[in-house]
Amino acid sequence: EDVDLYLDRNCEGTWETLGLATTTNDGDHEPVEGVEDTGGRVFFEIPAAMRLGVGRHRILFVVRGDHSSGEQLIDVLPASTRFVVTDVDGTQTESETAAWGSLLTGTGPGAQPHGAEALHAFARRGYVILYLTARPEWLEPRTHAWLDEMGYPPGLVHTTLGGTGATGAPAQTFKTEELAALEARFPDGLAWGIGNTDTDAASYVSTGLPADRIVSYRFDATGATRMDDYAELVTLAEALPAICE
């Protein structure tokens, strides 16, 4: 399928034509940023003359054949960016399996008390929030929608690229590799890590993050600091110096 790409630079509401791409068959394209070509994907290199500056940008993909469409947000961040990374299931949702149950009921899971408030406190101090979840790729839009509905601050959402997601050791491997990629691009960029399992904590520990900056929510995890109430984290975050100071 031919796909037209349009760019809303800096999310200002003005669209410009970006280019044309064609969806792939399996293996047509070399992997990019760890994304394997499993077919039906769009790979497009933004022309140098249209290079994106620091900021948030929106890409609109429109299939020429039937005019179906999809969107992507691209955040271009300076190398000095500092991140707060949080798991989602059980850490921000009301339980580890609540999101899966909501697929049957059609009602989104509840959120942990003060979780959104804590992340907003970090965001006000200048940190960028990365929601790192081992959910399957097809749940990414639903994850964005839930975070918005529950009042969480805007941020980056990274899921696995598979159709089934991951748990246990595979989830730890996925998160460890994602954090290593983050550190490679943003040296010392990981400032805080939040989770609710041993595997979450182990992935943060692998980066060298000290225990006092790894929060384990209502769980005693090796190498992490247990916290039973996110209201404590709100107070802690609000006391931090702003990134730009």
Side-chain angles (χ1 to χ4, degrees):
E1 296 279 0
D2 288 333
V3 181
D4 290 300
L5 281 73
Y6 302 92
L7 167 65
D8 178 6
R9 196 180 298 272
N10 295 315
C11 292
E12 294 177 348
T14 301
W15 293 97
E16 54 188 287
T17 300
L18 191 57
L20 173 69
T22 303
T23 55
T24 63
N25 293 308
D26 285 359
D28 280 352
H29 202 285
E30 293 293 322
V32 175
E33 298 290 336
V35 179
E36 300 282 346
D37 184 4
T38 54
R41 293 190 180 275
V42 169
F43 291 84
F44 182 86
E45 184 173 354
I46 296 175
M50 302 184 76
R51 183 181 177 90
L52 303 178
V54 171
R56 172 164 282 193
H57 313 278
R58 187 182 301 275
I59 308 291
L60 177 65
F61 302 80
V62 181
V63 178
R64 282 190 174 181
D66 61 6
H67 292 173
S68 58
S69 63
E71 292 188 359
Q72 176 185 9
L73 289 174
I74 297 178
D75 287 278
V76 180
L77 303 170
S80 59
T81 299
R82 300 278 281 168
F83 294 87
V84 172
V85 179
T86 179
D87 172 53
V88 176
D89 291 309
T91 302
Q92 300 301 334
T93 64
E94 59 189 341
S95 73
E96 193 74 25
T97 59
W100 296 103
S102 72
L103 294 176
L104 300 176
T105 64
T107 302
Q112 298 287 12
H114 304 293
E117 187 181 350
L119 294 179
H120 272 290
F122 278 113
R124 285 193 296 271
R125 308 314 289 160
Y127 294 90
V128 171
I129 311 301
L130 169 57
Y131 301 94
L132 181 58
T133 169
R135 290 179 174 187
E137 184 179 29
W138 55 271
L139 275 180
E140 184 168 350
R142 193 180 184 97
T143 303
H144 277 283
W146 182 84
L147 291 168
D148 185 57
E149 180 184 348
M150 294 293 108
Y152 281 85
L156 312 175
V157 174
H158 283 200
T159 68
T160 68
L161 294 174
T164 59
T167 59
Q172 179 179 331
T173 298
F174 161 71
K175 292 182 179 181
T176 299
E177 291 176 349
E178 286 284 305
L179 293 172
L182 178 73
E183 287 280 281
R185 179 163 290 175
F186 300 93
D188 299 318
L190 179 60
W192 290 82
I194 306 171
N196 73 315
T197 65
D198 275 321
T199 55
D200 289 333
S203 65
Y204 296 130
V205 169
S206 72
T207 69
L209 198 62
D212 63 351
R213 288 195 276 128
I214 302 174
V215 174
S216 183
Y217 184 64
R218 297 182 178 177
F219 182 79
D220 292 314
T222 302
T225 299
R226 176 168 176 155
M227 189 169 291
D228 292 329
D229 187 345
Y230 279 133
E232 299 175 46
L233 193 56
V234 173
T235 301
L236 189 155
E238 288 178 339
L240 294 173
I243 293 294
C244 60
E245 294 180 352

